[in-house]
Amino acid sequence: MDTARFVRHIASSTNEEAAAKAAAATTDTGGPTIFDKIIAKGIPSSIVYEDENVLAFRDINPQAPVHVLVIPKVRDGLTGLNKAEPRHTEILGQLLYAAKVVAEKEGVANGYRVVINNGAEGCQSVYHLHLHVLGGRQMKWPPG
Ligand code: AMP
């Protein structure tokens, strides 16, 4: 990576971390999020999969050629994975299964990544549990 690109990379990671920390400090209140508006179809989104319990739509700021968010339609306290209780195991399984269906629908079943950012240190910015399904390019490990 050349120096200018490296500096841009560090600046953008730092901004992402700062934004996530600010979001964590101000929004993990259990209040409505932008995803409620998407579920209610109050704002537009590009939906790729939907069933009774789960909605999957394209991320507005894609980090890969395929970048889809999979969310529960009813949050039921799941602002993040750390809020999971035994009553949530069914919806957690449905979300993971939906991620697999989305990967197939998007043509990336041979290789993709499913990510849950949790909390400020996990760079979570929207406090409604969501899985990121990322694919269509070679993933790297370890993740940043
Ligand atoms: P996280 O940082 O893990 O909380 O992920 C939140 C994701 O929501 C980010 O990747 C954002 O780009 C995405 N996002 C925020 N607002 C919207 C929106 N209106 N439509 C689609 N994706 C969104």
Side-chain angles (χ1 to χ4, degrees), residues 35 38 58-61 69 117 123-126 130 132:
F35 291 173
I38 290 174
R58 294 190 198 288
D59 196 294
I60 204 168
N61 183 22
L69 301 174
N117 295 327
C123 275
Q124 182 176 0
S125 62
V126 177
H130 50 282
H132 297 255

Side-chain angles (χ1 to χ4, degrees), residues 34-51 54-57 71 73:
I34 188 84
F35 291 173
D36 292 295
K37 291 186 179 148
I38 290 174
I39 292 164
K41 316 260 162 77
I43 60 169
S45 69
S46 177
I47 293 172
V48 299
Y49 173 79
E50 181 171 13
D51 64 28
V54 171
L55 184 68
F57 53 94
I71 70 172
K73 285 185 172 174

Side-chain angles (χ1 to χ4, degrees), residues 23-33 36 75-80 83 124 126-129:
T26 57
T27 63
D28 191 7
T29 60
T33 75
D36 292 295
R75 194 174 59 190
D76 185 24
L78 281 174
T79 53
K83 298 288 171 58
Q124 182 176 0
V126 177
Y127 281 81
H128 181 129
L129 179 67

